[in-house]
Amino acid sequence: MSVQDKQEEMAWASMESPIGRLVILADGQGITEIRFRNNSSPLPTAQGLGHEWVALAVEQLNAYFNNRLTEFKLPLSLDGTAFQQRVWVELQNIDYGSTASYGEIAAAINKPKAARAVGMANHKNRIPIVIPCHRVIGSNGALTGFAGGLDTKRWLLRHEDAGV
């Protein structure tokens, strides 16, 4: 299947949130991406498969921002290496209101020397908030890079009362 064919099978919607405009994309399998306002990548022109997943994601994100949801229940359509997917699964095990270091995530997936690779997998996470890469911090407790910016990461952690 070509990239164009895949894009034509996608649906998307935008929503306003306390951290700015978010764009949610999905295919027939589930959510593929959540974009922050600073992401200027072109959007698919067609709205096809996945519209029900987009609506569900908007509903759950609104509940999250309104303090009514602490754990997302969404089908995800992930595209990444086996290592990246292991990291993304582990990120979803970080409890709401908690944080973990890159090293702790690496140890949890039995790759204790792979903290930098965990950081790269975080960087490739296209479904932030739902796959909570914002909960990953440096081993010294410092906030580190985040696609939505460090102010957004700080806001999300404070929203979850994560002690930041």
Side-chain angles (χ1 to χ4, degrees):
M1 175 182 301
S2 74
V3 171
Q4 183 177 358
D5 290 340
K6 187 168 183 165
Q7 283 187 339
E8 289 176 0
E9 291 182 5
M10 302 207 46
W12 62 271
S14 65
M15 64 175 280
E16 292 302 321
S17 79
I19 56 173
R21 181 177 181 247
L22 299 174
V23 176
I24 300 99
L25 294 95
D27 62 18
Q29 304 300 309
I31 303 302
T32 60
E33 191 173 357
I34 296 175
R35 295 181 183 174
F36 293 108
R37 64 184 172 270
N38 61 351
N39 184 327
S40 61
S41 300
L43 291 166
T45 54
Q47 289 197 352
L49 299 174
H51 58 85
E52 67 276 10
W53 306 135
V54 171
L56 184 60
V58 168
E59 178 184 315
Q60 288 188 24
L61 285 162
N62 277 320
Y64 168 82
F65 288 120
N66 289 311
N67 296 310
R68 295 188 327 254
L69 183 129
T70 60
E71 186 177 333
F72 292 93
K73 304 274 190 215
L74 292 169
L76 305 179
S77 182
L78 301 171
D79 186 20
T81 67
F83 178 83
Q84 289 168 340
Q85 293 202 26
R86 285 177 61 196
V87 170
W88 299 335
V89 167
E90 190 59 35
L91 295 180
Q92 292 173 76
N93 291 328
I94 305 171
D95 291 333
Y96 179 95
S98 299
T99 59
S101 71
Y102 295 95
E104 289 169 333
I105 298 297
I109 62 168
N110 295 315
K111 297 284 187 183
K113 296 181 190 251
R116 286 182 188 234
V118 166
M120 289 306 298
N122 256 17
H123 178 71
K124 297 287 188 181
N125 174 21
R126 297 180 63 160
I127 311 176
I129 306 172
V130 174
I131 298 177
C133 54
H134 63 279
R135 296 179 188 154
V136 182
I137 60 175
S139 59
N140 63 356
L143 299 186
T144 56
F146 185 65
L150 290 182
D151 287 341
T152 299
K153 183 172 187 164
R154 188 175 295 107
W155 190 97
L156 291 167
L157 291 171
R158 287 183 178 156
H159 173 72
E160 295 182 8
D161 204 17
V164 175

